[in-house]
Amino acid sequence: MERMREIVPGAPAAEGEIPLAVPEIGDVERGYVDDSLRSGWIAYGPYVDRFEDAIRSLIGVDHAVGVSSGTAALHLALLVAGVQPGDEVVCSTLSFISPAFAIRYAGAHPVFVDAEPEYRQLDVEKLAAFLAEECVRGEGSLHNRGSGRRIAALLPVGILGHPVDMDAVSALAAEYGLPVVEDAAEVLGATYKGRPGGSLGDVACLSFNGNKIVTSGGGGMVVTRNAGWAARARYLATQAKDDPLEYVHGEVGFNYRLSNPHAALGLGQLERLPEFVEAKRRIAAAYEEGLGDVPGIGCPRQAPWAFSTYWLYTIEVDEAAYGIGSRDLLGRLLDAGIQVRPLWQPLHRSPSVRGAQAYRCETAELLHSRGLSLPCSVSLTPEDQARVVDEIRRHARG
Ligand SMILES: *Cc1c(COP(=O)(O)O)cnc(C)c1O
């Protein structure tokens, strides 16, 4: 039988297979979930408040609103930041698809900016060039010269556990009068110049999907220092309900609230975040040790201003130097029972947002063709990791 090529986030691997990244659920989480189920609070409930409080204190912002997914959090973040139908939002192209979708949910259009080659994060120099060269200022707003649309927000995405150079993004945001919506779904536990991922924009989104460093089985959070925005996100997430008793809805809302059992699982996981970050960094160091000298294999780097969680350990395969390309290596690793995945198709290539503007996105295309994510579950054993390293070394030229 052909091996399953689809990897379901948060699903167990087949017998004998080394999974890409599976959650590690312990007694703390089981206890909280059991308590939440026994309590009778099955939809909204006290664990939601506790989970929000824990995120607030971890990230150091005043407001956190638990929602049903990271994508929902992004959608709400864009709405509270003032994004309107017909606007444009400038977004990292090298990302999981969610920000592109969330921008479309808001009725706006994404404009994509490239990644830089060193840390694979949003290229802020290209972002600056885009704003300076492709946009025009007028009457308190900024417009895209080509499309004529208003630029409504910047949406930098910290990817693979490493933050974006956010001071540079914030400086541009201030210069052009734009809000920053930080997609921090992949940088929970990471820091930028000592400041936590999720605290770096005007509003940020977190995800607790099955493959994230902390999972609630499905969930997300909107975090912000802006009390008005938080209140509006909460209102929109709870069906825009105006009256606690009567069914009065002031506008079109969403059913985006997080459930109590999900929050219980998320809270238990969050208490173990330091342990998970330590495990991810230990795994990264072992890969660096095992693969750092293989010609044509590029290991992820950490910027001097960053503390990376190495959430999803992703190498670059340079075919000319290594001998075979990333997709050939991917096939061989899958055949050997080792789950790996290519890096995402850059968003400007996604058929889902066909026709969106892409600003000089060549580095993201190169990273996409070379990128390969390796097994890095926090429970990965040294023996299994050595098997991955051996398999990669075995296919190297010479
Ligand atoms: C996972 C992820 C999201 C969305 O989270 P969901 O909870 O799966 O909706 C958003 N942005 C990025 C960069 C992600 O990796």
Side-chain angles (χ1 to χ4, degrees):
M1 201 182 81
E2 222 210 308
R3 209 174 269 284
M4 276 277 289
R5 301 247 150 180
E6 189 192 1
I7 298 171
V8 181
E15 186 71 29
E17 215 171 42
I18 303 176
L20 180 70
V22 284
E24 154 65 28
I25 310 290
D27 291 340
V28 178
E29 296 92 314
R30 265 188 280 276
Y32 287 173
V33 172
D34 194 46
D35 182 48
S36 77
L37 296 175
R38 287 171 197 278
S39 73
W41 292 92
I42 295 307
Y44 171 75
Y47 276 102
V48 177
D49 297 335
R50 286 178 63 186
F51 191 26
E52 290 175 351
D53 284 344
I55 285 287
R56 260 194 290 274
S57 60
L58 177 79
I59 294 185
V61 294
D62 291 338
H63 308 282
V65 181
V67 294
S68 52
S69 74
T71 310
L74 267 176
H75 181 196
L76 294 174
L78 290 165
L79 295 179
V80 300
V83 173
Q84 300 284 330
D87 284 344
E88 286 183 354
V89 175
V90 188
C91 177
S92 305
T93 195
L94 193 62
S95 166
F96 180 62
I97 193 72
S98 293
F101 284 178
I103 291 166
R104 295 298 297 132
Y105 297 168
H109 303 273
V111 175
F112 297 111
V113 172
D114 206 4
E116 39 78 19
E118 203 145 6
Y119 312 115
R120 306 140 168 188
Q121 306 302 321
L122 176 68
D123 187 327
V124 287
E125 283 171 26
K126 284 185 178 170
L127 173 62
F130 169 77
L131 294 169
E133 291 161 18
E134 304 281 319
C135 301
V136 283
R137 292 176 203 250
E139 286 159 45
S141 60
L142 189 71
H143 287 78
N144 184 326
R145 197 189 300 276
S147 66
R149 294 184 186 124
R150 182 177 83 112
I151 306 283
L154 303 180
L155 202 173
V157 184
I159 63 165
L160 306 171
H162 191 291
V164 172
D165 182 1
M166 288 295 280
D167 279 350
V169 173
S170 301
L172 289 167
E175 183 181 343
Y176 291 94
L178 298 169
V180 177
V181 176
E182 179 194 5
D183 184 339
E186 299 185 9
V187 291
L188 182 63
T191 64
Y192 170 73
K193 299 183 182 173
R195 286 135 59 197
S199 72
L200 306 167
D202 295 300
V203 57
C205 96
L206 299 173
S207 165
F208 311 110
N209 191 14
N211 62 347
K212 297 301 198 282
I213 199 159
V214 160
T215 184
S216 63
M221 222 168 272
V222 180
V223 293
T224 180
R225 295 187 180 80
N226 186 315
W229 288 10
R232 176 140 181 86
R234 203 176 286 282
Y235 173 74
L236 289 174
T238 41
Q239 312 273 32
K241 188 171 63 189
D242 282 339
D243 186 288
L245 186 60
E246 298 289 343
Y247 292 100
V248 178
H249 304 269
E251 57 186 290
V252 175
F254 306 93
N255 182 10
Y256 277 172
R257 281 294 270 164
L258 185 63
S259 84
N260 199 45
H262 283 100
L265 176 54
L267 178 68
Q269 284 265 288
L270 191 66
E271 290 177 1
R272 301 177 63 194
L273 178 62
E275 171 198 336
F276 294 163
V277 172
E278 196 183 301
K280 292 278 186 188
R281 287 179 61 92
R282 181 172 21 83
I283 291 164
Y287 273 132
E288 173 86 40
E289 172 84 24
L291 298 172
D293 64 337
V294 180
I297 297 295
C299 294
R301 281 187 290 266
Q302 177 181 258
W305 37 259
F307 175 86
S308 174
T309 64
Y310 296 91
W311 161 65
L312 192 58
Y313 194 86
T314 303
I315 57 170
E316 287 159 46
V317 182
D318 174 354
E319 181 168 355
Y322 178 68
I324 57 173
S326 70
R327 299 308 189 268
D328 281 339
L329 179 57
L330 174 134
R332 292 186 197 185
L333 292 170
L334 288 176
D335 287 343
I338 296 168
Q339 285 191 353
V340 286
R341 284 196 77 158
L343 203 48
W344 319 279
Q345 178 183 52
L347 302 186
H348 70 279
R349 288 284 176 202
S350 173
S352 66
V353 286
R354 212 176 281 107
Q357 185 179 357
Y359 184 73
R360 295 163 57 197
C361 289
E362 56 280 347
T363 302
E365 302 210 353
L366 185 73
L367 290 169
H368 170 234
S369 70
R370 292 185 170 180
L372 205 57
S373 301
L374 304 182
C376 55
S377 307
V378 297
S379 56
L380 180 67
T381 63
E383 295 71 36
D384 279 353
Q385 189 171 10
R387 216 177 103 194
V388 179
V389 168
D390 289 347
E391 195 63 27
I392 294 171
R393 296 193 74 96
R394 208 159 70 76
H395 297 293
R397 153 179 298 155

